[in-house]
Amino acid sequence: MTAVAEKAERPAAEKPSLRHRLAERGLDRTLILLAPGLLFVVVLFVYPVLYGLQLSFQPTEGGSPFANYSKFFSDSYLFDTVWITLRLALPAALVNVLASVPIAYRMRGRMRGKRLLTTMFVLPITLGTVLTAEGLIRYLDPTGWFNKVLALFGADEPAELVHNYTGVLLSLIISGFPFAFLLTLSYLSGIDPTLEQAAATLGADWRKRFRYITLPLLAPGLAITFCLTFVLAFSVFPSAYLVGLPQGDTRVMSIAAYEAAFRDLDYPLGSAIAMLMALVMLVVIGIVLLWRSTLYRGSTGGKG
């Protein structure tokens, strides 16, 4: 019996259920489950972003709606925070991605002590950025253990590794590596091992197998890993404030936004800096994803 006949035989007083009404319109009722998630995104993400965006066009001193943005680009003390933040975030993300590849490549299969090593690599996530920063200060301080060991080997002066650029970079690498490692390990675990086994039977050593098989398949995943670790590093605040020099070499955009909003009580300027932070991150992510799509088209276009 066709659906039209069933609909004709249905009693006039009987209303079709929600399931049948959605089915007749070609909709899946499981889409209703998306409603709480969409509401969560709107309340905790979309609304604050839109509110901050419109606030940035309401300068405290009045004037042009773009006064806050003009002030940011005309004031070198504020504008230089863009390059300072990039100079920290890009190397930290790059080091984390490059360091995670050989370790995850070795640990993707069965090996003794894999659980213990994985726990050790992921441990910095549980510590948090503040505790990591405090640990670096205690360890790398001129009177810390690291410089005491250097003194035993005849070092005349202690190494200056905290309250500068180096200390913040080390903190970002320590706190960001677990995310890069877990993502890279998941991508590597998803690559079919029979591809490398087939190449090995044809005489390819591990270097050629990694270069011509594993790395091309892993590259799109590494692009996503780089984007996520870059965003994590670009939004740095505790490390730049505690381990770095917040009014000098490590005055990042987040510190400038915080000081404008909560020290100077200029919330529109702080919102403008936050919007520019998001814009810079989107530009870098867009460049990386464009490279990823180009790489993807190049790998498939050669076979077409």
Side-chain angles (χ1 to χ4, degrees), residues 212-231:
Y212 295 106
I213 297 177
T214 305
L215 188 57
L217 295 174
L218 182 61
L222 290 181
I224 300 299
T225 303
F226 178 86
C227 291
L228 294 176
T229 52
F230 169 77
V231 170

Side-chain angles (χ1 to χ4, degrees), residues 161-202:
L161 299 175
V162 292
H163 303 303
N164 52 24
Y165 171 86
T166 304
V168 179
L169 182 62
L170 291 175
S171 177
L172 292 177
I173 292 174
I174 293 173
S175 59
F177 176 78
F179 297 97
F181 167 72
L182 291 175
L183 287 172
T184 305
L185 182 61
S186 65
Y187 284 122
L188 279 170
S189 301
I191 297 176
D192 190 353
T194 58
L195 297 175
E196 290 192 46
Q197 295 172 4
T201 59
L202 297 175

Side-chain angles (χ1 to χ4, degrees), residues 14 20 29 33 42 44 46 67 77 96 103 119 157 171 223 226 233 258 261 277 282 294 304:
E14 180 184 349
H20 287 88
R29 64 174 180 172
L33 299 177
V42 170
L44 295 183
V46 176
Y77 189 60
N96 281 330
I103 298 175
T119 303
E157 296 181 358
S171 177
F226 178 86
Y258 170 80
M277 283 183 64
L282 289 176
T294 304

